[in-house]
Amino acid sequence: DPANRGRDPRGLSDPAFASVIAATGPIEPLKAIVRAAVTRRPEDADAMENACLRNGPLAPLHQQQCLGALAALGRIDAAYRLADRMFPDQRAATRAEQERLWLQEPEALTGTSVVFTPMAAAFRADPRFLALTERTGLRDYWRTSRQPPDFCRTERVAACQGII
């Protein structure tokens, strides 16, 4: 809505809508994401980055939305800082150790779907993506299952080398 450009996005301040979102955590990161996406102003992108990378914990859904927005708006370094928080190292020397890691943090990789979206193409193109797929076990899974992600068919990404 052009008349709403640059203002608080319509709907996010509606008490009925805000109460649903607030149940998953503070609404500020979501407002900052929408504002930055609408205005494309550097200062709004800076505010979004700050809201997404603040020291306090973000709800998993907000982390995913932040990661996608940071990637889509070209804030790749910030997206990787957030990804480092979101996706812990899941590598292990033995199968038993691997299972212990998964049982200790079963939600560790629940937010990975955002890295497979079109808006995260620049994130995947970055050389750091290979390390992320290795530390999370995704690359091993793709290689051993022979089930590469769809983007490997259309993108020249280091993480896809040797798995297709």
Side-chain angles (χ1 to χ4, degrees), residues 5-110:
R5 192 170 297 268
R7 294 194 331 236
D8 187 23
R10 191 174 346 158
L12 289 180
S13 296
D14 181 312
F17 187 61
S19 67
V20 172
I21 292 175
T24 63
I27 195 169
E28 290 75 24
L30 301 181
K31 286 182 177 182
I33 288 168
V34 172
R35 184 177 312 286
V38 169
T39 68
R40 303 288 181 164
R41 293 186 332 214
E43 59 270 21
D44 290 335
D46 289 344
M48 175 197 67
E49 186 174 323
N50 288 334
C52 288
L53 294 175
R54 68 174 194 216
N55 290 331
L58 287 176
L61 178 61
H62 292 187
Q63 288 179 334
Q64 293 169 36
Q65 292 163 335
C66 280
L67 182 61
L70 289 165
L73 292 176
R75 300 294 178 114
I76 304 303
D77 288 339
Y80 272 97
R81 284 195 303 277
L82 182 57
D84 286 344
R85 293 183 200 169
M86 292 173 66
F87 309 124
D89 195 328
Q90 295 293 305
R91 293 173 286 194
T94 66
R95 181 87 168 143
E97 177 69 12
Q98 182 74 57
E99 289 177 11
R100 187 188 66 71
L101 283 172
W102 281 98
L103 291 173
Q104 186 177 343
E105 287 190 74
E107 71 286 343
L109 300 178
T110 57

